[in-house]
Amino acid sequence: MLIDTYGRVATDLRVSLTDRCNLRCTYCMPEEGLQWLAKPDLLTDDEIVRLVDIAVRLLGVEEVRFTGGEPLLRPGLVGIVERVAALTPRPRTSLTTNGIGLGRTASALKAAGLDRVNVSLDTLRPDVFKTLTRRDRHKDVIEGLRAAREAGLTPVKVNTVLMPGLNADEAPDLLAWAVEHDYELRFIEQMPLDAQHGWKREGMVTAGDILASLRTRFELTPEGADERGSAPAERWLVDGGPHRVGVIASVTRPFCAACDRTRLTADGQIRTCLFATEETDLRAALRSGAPDEEIARLWRTAMWGKKAGAGLDDPSFVQPDRPMSAIGG
């Protein structure tokens, strides 16, 4: 079991498969990209599967989410998914992706054992997409979403970040589109995980702003705390249901007290929180020949030291040195 001093138990593992990405989203990294990890620093496919197996078999992890960077850039992705889905006990499996390439891989991922996907899409307007991501790939993301739905990687969740002056006015249109296509839309407050350290709390589009905008067109009924559990998104029924919309208010309505996540970076570091400034190195233990029980002990120790919260409301908050592309969402 992965328990911390506040009694929280981590059962959800986020695995970053690569720090690379084929977009350059303005809230994540600079236009020229970043210094990527050297290949020897990355976990191999076998190392990833072994660590996930330890988490599932010895530490009580029940759900595994593959992230990046962009996980579809990982050459061995389908094989990793297949091997993880074959573990005992079998974890629930999901993937967070920007959707580029999903049109070609959705069927193979489903056949390998992937249960569902989260796809990032911040706008319905191709010109705004190009401004936000610095790439002209909007139609590829739309195609990826369609392919995921048709492959049965459901519920297909769409993650959206609203930015002042760019797409902040699109919330109602995005929700209408998601309802039409049977996607579950989730708005995410912009978080301080950009490589340029340009994030500012002032002026960000908040959960309150998003809900006020949505209510100009839709009736929203709160789903309630019992339904939410440890999920990061607060959810509302749209016009009485069955469709839902979620808001992940990491900044203005933090949910740290219910957090059940543990994170493994692409280079084998354990992070107890997206905003953590400390890591525990499991890659070195793996490569020095440590047995599974020793690696599990290191993991338990790391999680025992998890802080009460991210501390975004603390004036002394220090943004992590790693951008979101290197940590995994």
Side-chain angles (χ1 to χ4, degrees):
M1 181 181 294
L2 290 171
I3 189 169
D4 64 32
T5 54
Y6 299 93
R8 297 169 297 191
V9 178
T11 58
D12 184 334
L13 170 60
R14 307 295 170 97
V15 181
S16 177
L17 298 180
T18 178
D19 61 331
R20 297 173 184 267
C21 188
N22 43 12
L23 296 180
R24 296 292 181 270
C25 296
T26 57
Y27 52 78
C28 185
M29 69 172 75
E31 186 171 4
E32 65 274 14
L34 298 167
Q35 181 67 46
W36 307 124
L37 292 167
K39 188 172 182 180
D41 293 337
L42 293 170
L43 293 175
T44 66
D45 293 2
D46 287 346
E47 288 171 336
I48 290 170
V49 174
R50 183 183 170 196
L51 287 173
V52 174
D53 176 58
I54 290 170
V56 168
R57 184 168 43 85
L58 300 180
L59 298 173
V61 164
E62 299 171 353
E63 181 168 356
V64 178
R65 172 87 59 86
F66 298 107
T67 70
E70 174 44 53
L72 293 180
L73 295 179
R74 178 87 186 199
L77 172 62
V78 172
I80 291 171
V81 170
E82 185 173 32
R83 293 169 67 184
V84 168
L87 295 176
T88 302
R90 185 198 189 281
R92 297 185 299 275
T93 58
S94 58
L95 177 82
T96 294
T97 171
N98 63 28
I100 296 174
L102 192 56
R104 300 188 302 272
T105 56
S107 294
L109 287 167
K110 179 64 177 179
L114 190 70
D115 293 318
R116 63 171 191 83
V117 294
N118 287 18
V119 179
S120 298
L121 180 65
D122 299 324
T123 178
L124 298 177
R125 305 194 294 253
D127 59 325
V128 176
F129 182 92
K130 187 174 181 180
T131 298
L132 278 167
T133 67
R134 305 183 178 106
R135 298 291 186 271
D136 189 11
R137 306 297 297 273
H138 187 265
K139 66 179 181 180
D140 297 314
V141 181
I142 298 297
E143 169 59 22
L145 280 160
R146 183 195 61 78
R149 185 187 61 219
E150 293 182 355
L153 293 170
T154 55
V156 176
K157 297 184 179 181
V158 177
N159 294 339
T160 297
V161 176
L162 297 180
M163 304 282 288
L166 287 171
N167 61 341
D169 61 332
E170 286 195 67
D173 290 340
L174 281 159
L175 181 53
W177 166 82
V179 168
E180 177 186 355
H181 294 281
D182 200 25
Y183 303 138
E184 183 175 323
L185 181 62
R186 309 189 316 165
F187 293 97
I188 304 175
E189 288 183 338
Q190 184 193 2
M191 294 179 283
L193 290 168
D194 58 310
Q196 309 94 297
H197 289 199
W199 177 86
K200 288 182 173 57
R201 187 183 183 109
E202 303 79 24
M204 64 172 285
V205 181
T206 67
D209 298 330
I210 294 164
L211 292 170
S213 178
L214 293 177
R215 286 183 170 123
T216 63
R217 197 182 304 180
F218 302 95
E219 179 184 347
L220 303 182
T221 305
E223 191 175 57
D226 291 341
E227 289 289 335
R228 180 183 184 184
S230 61
E234 295 180 74
R235 298 200 304 179
W236 287 261
L237 292 173
V238 179
D239 291 339
H243 293 96
R244 293 170 171 81
V245 63
V247 178
I248 299 176
S250 303
V251 178
T252 63
R253 304 182 187 181
F255 40 85
C256 301
C259 181
D260 65 349
R261 287 155 195 79
T262 181
R263 299 175 183 275
L264 178 66
T265 68
D267 56 349
Q269 311 299 307
I270 288 299
R271 295 180 69 91
T272 60
C273 174
L274 267 176
F275 304 102
T277 55
E278 298 175 349
E279 298 177 331
T280 298
D281 187 0
L282 296 188
R283 183 189 63 198
L286 277 176
R287 295 181 180 177
S288 67
D292 290 357
E293 292 74 13
E294 172 61 16
I295 293 170
R297 185 193 67 77
L298 290 171
W299 207 326
R300 289 191 191 98
T301 300
M303 293 306 295
W304 184 251
K306 184 173 182 174
K307 295 181 179 179
L312 296 183
D313 56 350
D314 187 335
S316 64
F317 171 76
V318 177
Q319 181 173 330
D321 288 334
R322 292 200 194 214
M324 186 159 52
S325 62
I327 299 169

